[in-house]
Amino acid sequence: MQMRFDGRLGFPGGFVDTQDNSLEEGLNRELREELGEAAAAFRVERTDYRSSHTGSGPRVVAHFYAKRLTLEQLLAVEAGATRAKDHGLEVLGLVRVPLYTLRDGVGGLPTFLENSFIGSAREQLLEAVLHGPMETKMRTLVLGREGRVWECFLIGPER
């Protein structure tokens, strides 16, 4: 996830431009602008599509995609994000989501979820965890004890 210019958490993305031939092409362009050139090492494809949500403005629809990255790809994106075109403008920095709860039952993921999220980003977190490209053992950590469901997201590194 990323900290946006308005202080809310969200996912990289933006509007499809007239030069973009598809949603995925527009998304991949936005990923390079917001995450840096390391995002060019992978492409988000139609098969990574998860859902669509109506936006806050007229004629705005947010399409949600989840892509599984290798650990090397994730580290490269994190290392190069501060050199991205939109860093410091649209994006203030990347944020890792804690996929644990401290023994006090509050720290970690429950506290993280109290942050302010843009649009339906919090719901998209849950969607990605429950139906996205995560390893089963990571999904079990997120679901927690007694089947309690917490909302979270992780771009799960392949091992």
Side-chain angles (χ1 to χ4, degrees):
M1 294 198 82
Q2 61 189 20
M3 177 62 69
R4 296 164 30 93
F5 68 95
D6 58 6
R8 294 184 280 183
L9 294 169
F11 294 101
F15 291 100
V16 176
D17 293 341
T18 54
Q19 76 265 15
D20 298 324
N21 294 318
S22 67
L23 288 173
E24 293 78 20
E25 189 175 313
L27 176 55
N28 285 300
R29 176 187 47 76
E30 286 284 346
L31 289 173
R32 288 188 304 278
E33 291 174 5
E34 296 183 19
L35 300 177
E37 287 305 313
F42 58 88
R43 287 192 51 80
V44 174
E45 304 289 344
R46 188 173 305 259
T47 55
D48 300 314
Y49 170 81
R50 296 289 175 247
S51 64
S52 297
H53 305 270
T54 57
S56 56
R59 299 172 27 150
V60 175
V61 178
H63 303 282
F64 184 61
Y65 292 74
K67 179 76 175 178
R68 184 179 198 153
L69 302 181
T70 65
L71 179 58
E72 292 76 22
Q73 289 170 324
L74 176 61
L75 294 174
V77 167
E78 289 180 330
T82 58
R83 295 185 302 277
K85 174 185 168 192
D86 289 343
H87 182 78
L89 301 170
E90 291 181 29
V91 180
L92 300 181
L94 299 182
V95 178
R96 285 194 183 195
V97 177
L99 293 178
Y100 53 83
T101 301
L102 297 179
R103 288 192 175 129
D104 65 6
V106 178
L109 184 59
T111 299
F112 180 84
L113 292 172
E114 293 178 12
N115 285 298
S116 179
F117 292 82
I118 186 73
S120 56
R122 184 179 281 122
E123 293 76 19
Q124 291 167 334
L125 286 171
L126 178 59
E127 184 176 339
V129 168
L130 296 178
H131 307 292
M134 285 181 60
E135 295 177 14
T136 303
K137 67 180 180 180
M138 291 304 295
R139 201 169 275 125
T140 302
L141 285 173
V142 172
L143 290 174
R145 296 184 189 141
E146 292 100 35
R148 179 176 171 200
V149 177
W150 295 308
E151 302 172 40
C152 65
F153 179 73
L154 171 76
I155 299 176
E158 294 177 342
R159 298 193 190 239

